[in-house]
């Protein structure tokens, strides 16, 4: 058997190295190319690790401090998809800004180094078996991504950044209290010193954990990491940060930063469930937060005029859908994991297209973005197609998972939960569809010359849209196996 | 050893109360520096028969960062922003102090209900840590100036640190240093943010950062 202990540390260190290299480069164009090339090569490296995990089971490194099991491998796969697509879009998003000097050496170095820095931090979250290191990774993502919001220093971007920095730092500090309480709950589990924070040890000793302390800790963890994941009512920073950041950054925020925080909550879920004797106490908390997020986001989406804020609230909604799915469990867990993949890919596409259209029209106000299909056909199709997927139209990918989550809720007899969930989805569907029709059909303002689109850009948009359709109709067997293996870790085996 | 521990804990609470009542930023920064030093002494005081080298190193690092480096950063931010005092906080100083007293009483009550394992540390540790955390959160939401909010964040961190010292023994040194590193960078990043906000807006009154809504 080949020795593979190096691969997990390498997955974290490669982006760190790339971040340092991008600080040395001079031209913005080279940095953008490096960001795409470097992301793709990190994706290739981690793709190998993911493949091995699904073939041969969990990998460990550095004395069990690093671990990649089915759940984290699935998250790594989603993350690398999002980062790859967003970095490719980044090249075309910044092209005009590079030409007119707004994206100069300073901005591009900041962008390149922080891009890889946040990739490294999120990778650290996913591959660490140690709950303390996982926390360090999440806090590091907050600090590294803060300055990505204001790649262009402007008052609104600074306001968004301050809100993000303060709210998420406080949230993550509360999550740390939760981690401490979890460690304290292991007092009678005969774990000592370094072992006490290793997830695999806590999982094996779950029935010896002190349920009262673990419950208290879990509440802190859900509120703390939930702030970072954008769960309502702790989501206030999210629309501001997402709308002010450059589009590729918004894409990784929505596409994976939120999921990384949700992942941390998921790690604690099996521990709490096992320690409380599988009574569903931890799951019911997730159901409450998930449902609240769906309903609150749907209320805000109705009145939204800014396209990026609309997409941001849609992220709150979808994180809510996933949390609800994990809370319901069983089939819901499987559906939520699938929802994560399709939402991340689709939201990346939608944010990048919305950002590009924003540059074309000079505004993010949907009342002034009109006739998108004739002015910028590919980007318009990408945004409208993406929105169509996001509101859960049949038979596209997100419809499948939302339907399955609804089915899981009904199967368990939670009719009230299912009903409220449907109300939220219906409100979003109508509100967004109204905006979409207006963007497609309202009379054009003044620009009439259609925008040239690169062939590579068209290819990227079309591939993403087709993937959304295909995933809605058919789950390839390897994906199905991966979903089942990941759901199994969360105790959601079918 | 309990006498030393209790002294440290009482100082921790007193510095939080001082922060609740102080309006001049310079004074606030000095109080939070004092609190940082006290927090750094806590693990040394708790570790019964003489500190191990590991505890001593971590304690010294905490004192260095929280007692000297952060105050220095905050003072610089304050000078650049040319703001010497908190402008009309959302909650007045007397009300704030009353809230602090309530928080302390609440923490003692909570401690009596929670029954946390404290490994022979002083009975005061958990209530004091909880009260410090609550006061820190309160400072963040009730103050308007960005520097004061960072001070609130530091108080929250100190509370969490004290909580950790009380209920978790033998957290690996690597993790403790990692956490310290994160807080360190957090405050550093916040300092840079304050600098930019001040330059763009000409003030650091976060209540007037109201462009983004809905």
């Amino acid at each position: 058997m080949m020795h593979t202990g190096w691969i997990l540390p390498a997955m974290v260190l490669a982006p760190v190295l790339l971040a340092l290299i991008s600080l040395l480069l001079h031209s913005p164009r080279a940095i953008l190319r490096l960001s795409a090339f470097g992301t793709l090569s990190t994706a290739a490296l981690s793709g190998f690790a993911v493949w091995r995990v699904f073939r041969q089971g969990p990998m460990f490194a550095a004395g069990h401090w690093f671990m990649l099991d089915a759940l984290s491998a699935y998250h790594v796969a989603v993350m690398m998809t999002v980062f790859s697509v967003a970095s490719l879009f980044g090249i075309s998003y910044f092209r005009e800004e590079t030409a007119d000097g707004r994206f100069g050496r300073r901005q591009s170095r900041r962008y390149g180094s922080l891009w890889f820095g946040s990739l490294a931090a999120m990778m650290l979250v996913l591959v660490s078996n140690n709950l303390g290191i996982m926390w360090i990774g999440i806090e590091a993502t907050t600090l590294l991504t803060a300055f990505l919001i204001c790649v262009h220093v402007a008052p609104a971007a600074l306001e968004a950044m301050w809100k993000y920095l303060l709210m998420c730092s406080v949230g993550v500090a509360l999550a740390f209290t939760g981690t401490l309480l979890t460690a304290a709950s292991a007092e009678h589990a005969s774990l000592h010193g370094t072992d006490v924070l290793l997830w695999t040890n806590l999982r094996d000793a779950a029935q010896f954990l002190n349920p009262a302390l673990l419950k208290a800790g879990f509440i802190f963890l859900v509120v703390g990491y939930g702030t970072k994941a954008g769960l309502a009512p702790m989501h206030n920073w999210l629309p501001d940060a997402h709308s002010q950041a450059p589009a590729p950054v918004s894409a990784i925020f929505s596409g994976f930063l939120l999921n990384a925080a949700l992942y941390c909550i998921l790690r604690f879920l099996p521990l709490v469930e096992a320690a409380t004797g599988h009574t569903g106490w931890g799951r019911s908390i997730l159901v409450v937060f998930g449902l609240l997020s769906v309903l609150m986001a749907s209320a805000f989406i109705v009145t939204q005029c800014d396209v990026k804020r609309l997409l941001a609230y849609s992220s709150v909604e979808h994180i809510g859908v996933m949390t609800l799915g994990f809370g319901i469990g069983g089939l819901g867990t499987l559906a939520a994991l699938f929802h994560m993949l399709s939402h991340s890919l689709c939201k990346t596409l939608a944010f990048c297209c919305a950002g590009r259209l924003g540059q074309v029209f000079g505004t993010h106000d949907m009342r002034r973005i009109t006739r998108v299909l004739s002015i910028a056909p590919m980007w318009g199709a990408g945004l409208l197609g993406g929105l169509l997927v996001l509101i859960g139209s049949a038979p596209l990918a997100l419809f499948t998972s939302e339907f399955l989550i609804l089915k899981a809720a009904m199967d368990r007899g939670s009719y009230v939960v299912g009903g409220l969930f449907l109300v939220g989805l219906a409100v979003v569907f109508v509100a967004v569809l109204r905006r979409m029709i207006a963007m497609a059909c309202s009379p054009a303002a003044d620009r009439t010359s259609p925008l040239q689109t690169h062939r590579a850009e068209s290819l990227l948009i079309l591939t993403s849209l087709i993937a959304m359709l295909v995933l809605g109709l058919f789950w390839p067997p390897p994906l199905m196996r991966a979903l089942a293996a990941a759901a199994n870790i969360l105790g959601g085996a079918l | 050893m309990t006498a030393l521990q209790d002294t440290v804990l009482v100082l921790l609470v007193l510095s939080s109360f001082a922060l609740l009542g102080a309006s001049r930023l310079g004074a606030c920064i000095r109080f939070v520096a004092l609190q940082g030093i006290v927090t750094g002494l806590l693990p040394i005081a708790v570790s019964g028969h003489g500190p191990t080298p590991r505890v001593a190193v971590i304690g010294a690092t905490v004192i260095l960062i929280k007692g000297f480096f952060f105050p220095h950063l905050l003072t610089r931010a304050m000078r650049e922003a040319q703001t010497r005092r908190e402008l009309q906080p959302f909650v007045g100083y007397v009300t704030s102090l009353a809230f602090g007293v309530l928080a302390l009483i609440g923490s003692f009550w909570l401690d009596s209900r929670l029954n946390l394992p404290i490994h022979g540390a002083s009975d005061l540790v958990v209530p004091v840590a909880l009260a410090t955390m609550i006061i820190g959160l309160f400072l963040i939401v009730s103050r308007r100036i960005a520097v004061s909010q960072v001070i609130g964040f530091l108080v929250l961190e100190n509370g969490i640190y004290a909580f950790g010292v009380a209920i978790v023994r033998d957290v690996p040194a690597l993790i403790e240093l990692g956490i310290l590193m994160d807080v360190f960078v957090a405050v550093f990043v916040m300092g840079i943010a304050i600098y930019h906000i001040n330059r763009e807006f000409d003030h650091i009154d976060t209540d007037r950062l109201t462009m983004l809504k809905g």
Side-chain angles (χ1 to χ4, degrees):
Chain A
M1 205 169 101
M2 194 170 70
H3 185 68
T4 48
W6 57 274
I7 204 164
L8 295 182
M11 278 157 66
V12 180
L13 289 177
V16 173
L17 201 66
L18 288 161
L20 294 178
I21 295 175
S22 48
L23 282 176
L24 298 175
L25 292 178
H26 289 284
S27 91
R29 197 157 300 164
I31 291 176
L32 285 174
R33 284 207 191 114
L34 178 76
S35 76
F37 175 74
T39 311
L40 289 174
S41 32
T42 315
L45 179 68
S46 31
F48 173 66
V50 169
W51 174 78
R52 258 188 70 99
V53 167
F54 285 122
R55 287 305 287 265
Q56 304 175 356
M59 278 164 90
F60 292 92
H64 284 53
W65 277 46
F66 284 154
M67 174 195 62
L68 197 68
D69 64 0
L71 183 65
S72 45
Y74 182 75
H75 278 81
V76 168
V78 174
M79 174 171 84
M80 288 324 299
T81 315
V82 170
F83 266 85
S84 305
V85 174
S87 68
L88 289 174
F89 269 116
I91 296 180
S92 64
Y93 179 81
F94 288 114
R95 188 178 292 132
E96 278 176 20
E97 296 192 0
T98 314
D100 65 18
R102 272 183 299 154
F103 191 70
R105 188 191 296 174
R106 255 182 85 116
Q107 283 86 357
S108 58
R109 276 184 179 170
R110 186 188 292 170
Y111 172 80
S113 54
L114 293 177
W115 177 271
F116 285 119
S118 42
L119 175 61
M122 289 186 217
M123 195 68 97
L124 183 67
V125 172
L126 295 181
V127 300
S128 63
N129 186 25
N130 187 310
L131 298 174
I133 302 274
M134 188 168 91
W135 180 88
I136 291 174
I138 284 283
E139 174 71 11
T141 59
T142 311
L143 303 173
L144 288 165
T145 48
F147 281 104
L148 276 177
I149 298 175
C150 57
V151 166
H152 300 297
V153 177
L158 279 171
E159 182 186 333
M161 174 184 150
W162 183 253
K163 228 184 211 179
Y164 170 64
L165 205 54
L166 207 65
M167 280 196 69
C168 288
S169 300
V170 171
V172 172
L174 293 182
F176 185 63
T177 315
T179 312
L180 286 176
L181 282 166
T182 308
S185 76
E187 200 195 10
H188 300 297
S190 59
L191 296 172
H192 296 290
T194 326
D195 298 339
V196 77
L197 280 173
L198 292 187
W199 182 80
T200 35
N201 289 347
L202 287 172
R203 179 199 57 191
D204 295 338
Q207 64 272 37
F208 303 112
L209 301 180
N210 178 343
L213 286 181
L214 198 57
K215 276 181 176 177
F218 191 65
I219 293 172
F220 272 104
L221 288 161
V222 172
V223 171
Y225 285 132
T227 309
K228 190 81 199 274
L231 287 176
M234 297 88 72
H235 68 281
N236 302 47
W237 63 272
L238 192 147
D240 296 347
H242 286 54
S243 62
Q244 293 308 314
V249 176
S250 316
I252 57 165
F253 265 62
S254 258
F256 203 73
L257 189 67
L258 308 182
N259 296 343
L262 188 59
Y263 165 83
C264 297
I265 299 178
L266 292 182
R267 275 286 168 208
F268 289 92
L269 184 64
L271 304 182
V272 174
E273 283 298 297
T276 53
H278 297 281
T279 48
W281 179 86
R283 292 191 186 277
S284 58
I285 289 185
L286 293 189
V287 168
V288 170
F289 275 104
L291 210 52
L292 196 63
S293 306
V294 173
L295 292 174
M296 245 167 122
S298 67
F300 278 102
I301 281 176
V302 174
T303 55
Q304 213 42 253
C305 294
D306 181 311
V307 62
K308 284 179 85 181
R309 290 183 82 86
L310 179 99
L311 289 172
Y313 276 113
S314 147
S315 297
V316 176
E317 180 213 342
H318 286 289
I319 281 289
V321 171
M322 286 171 224
T323 311
L324 183 64
F326 289 124
I328 292 167
L331 181 62
T333 306
L334 197 78
L337 284 168
F338 176 73
H339 196 84
M340 178 179 296
L341 170 68
S342 28
H343 168 255
S344 292
L345 183 55
C346 184
K347 194 47 82 53
T348 307
L349 171 75
F351 257 121
C352 292
C353 292
R356 193 72 187 86
L357 286 173
Q359 287 178 327
V360 173
F361 286 86
T363 176
H364 288 132
D365 189 337
M366 285 183 283
R367 287 164 299 189
R368 285 164 56 198
I369 302 180
T370 48
R371 295 314 280 262
V372 283
L373 289 176
S374 51
I375 291 175
M378 277 326 290
W379 299 106
L383 176 63
L384 294 180
L387 284 174
L388 208 59
V389 181
L390 286 172
I391 59 179
S393 325
L396 302 163
L398 291 185
F399 168 78
T400 322
S401 41
E402 283 170 358
F403 180 76
L404 287 177
I405 289 172
L406 185 65
K407 181 173 163 6
M410 292 304 183
D411 285 349
R412 291 229 339 229
S414 324
Y415 299 114
V416 179
V417 172
L420 288 173
F421 177 51
L422 261 187
V423 170
L425 292 185
V427 170
V428 172
F429 190 89
V430 175
V432 176
L433 200 62
R434 192 183 55 142
R435 293 279 177 207
M436 283 168 58
I437 294 172
M439 279 197 284
C441 306
S442 307
D446 42 2
R447 275 192 70 147
T448 40
S449 61
L451 184 84
Q452 290 294 318
T453 317
H454 243 256
R455 198 170 298 160
E457 294 163 358
S458 310
L459 189 68
L460 203 54
I461 294 171
L462 283 178
T463 323
S464 310
L465 284 177
I466 290 170
M468 286 296 106
L469 179 63
V470 171
L471 283 177
L473 297 172
F474 157 75
W475 292 5
L479 175 65
M480 191 65 213
R481 279 198 296 275
L483 287 173
N488 197 19
I489 291 176
L490 296 172
L494 289 174
Chain B
M1 279 320 264
T2 8
L4 177 59
Q5 257 190 66
D6 287 345
T7 319
V8 164
L9 290 169
V10 168
L11 278 175
L12 197 63
V13 167
L14 283 181
S15 52
S16 306
F17 275 85
L19 281 165
L20 283 172
S23 72
R24 284 188 28 250
L25 284 180
C28 285
I29 293 173
R30 275 195 294 279
F31 285 133
V32 89
L34 172 73
Q35 194 176 56
I37 295 172
V38 170
T39 316
L41 288 176
L42 189 61
I44 300 169
V46 168
S47 65
H49 36 270
T52 60
R54 188 178 72 90
V55 173
V57 166
I58 289 174
T61 322
V62 170
I63 291 175
L64 201 66
I65 291 182
K66 292 193 171 169
F68 297 98
F69 186 75
F70 287 167
H72 170 70
L73 262 182
L74 289 171
T75 314
R76 256 187 47 188
M78 180 186 78
R79 282 225 189 89
E80 264 159 21
Q82 300 198 318
T83 317
R84 298 241 164 264
R85 46 174 60 241
E86 170 74 35
L87 315 152
Q88 296 172 327
F90 296 121
V91 184
Y93 299 109
V94 178
T95 327
S96 301
L97 280 169
F99 176 86
V101 174
L102 283 179
L104 193 60
I105 296 171
S107 308
F108 271 103
W109 176 80
L110 202 63
D111 177 49
S112 67
R113 298 290 307 268
L114 270 179
N115 216 351
L116 291 158
I118 49 169
H119 308 284
S122 158
D123 289 341
L124 286 177
V125 175
V126 174
V128 164
L130 286 175
T132 312
M133 282 164 66
I134 297 170
I135 290 173
L137 276 174
F138 176 79
L139 283 173
I140 294 173
V141 294
S142 67
R143 298 292 188 258
R144 287 166 57 160
I145 299 289
V147 175
S148 316
Q149 291 175 344
V150 177
I151 290 175
F153 176 68
L154 286 178
V155 174
L156 173 68
E157 281 288 345
N158 289 341
I160 293 177
Y161 189 82
F163 191 67
V165 167
I167 65 168
V168 187
R169 281 301 161 84
D170 332 310
V171 170
L174 184 66
I175 292 185
E176 285 212 48
L177 290 177
I179 289 157
L180 204 56
M181 174 78 194
D182 266 353
V183 178
F184 173 78
V185 180
V187 173
F188 195 70
V189 167
M190 287 176 187
I192 301 172
I194 291 177
Y195 167 74
H196 280 296
I197 291 174
N198 182 50
R199 217 177 45 171
E200 289 285 327
F201 289 89
D202 234 22
H203 64 78
I204 52 168
D205 180 353
T206 53
D207 188 39
R208 279 159 61 198
L209 300 184
T210 50
M211 250 182 287
L212 303 170
K213 280 179 186 157

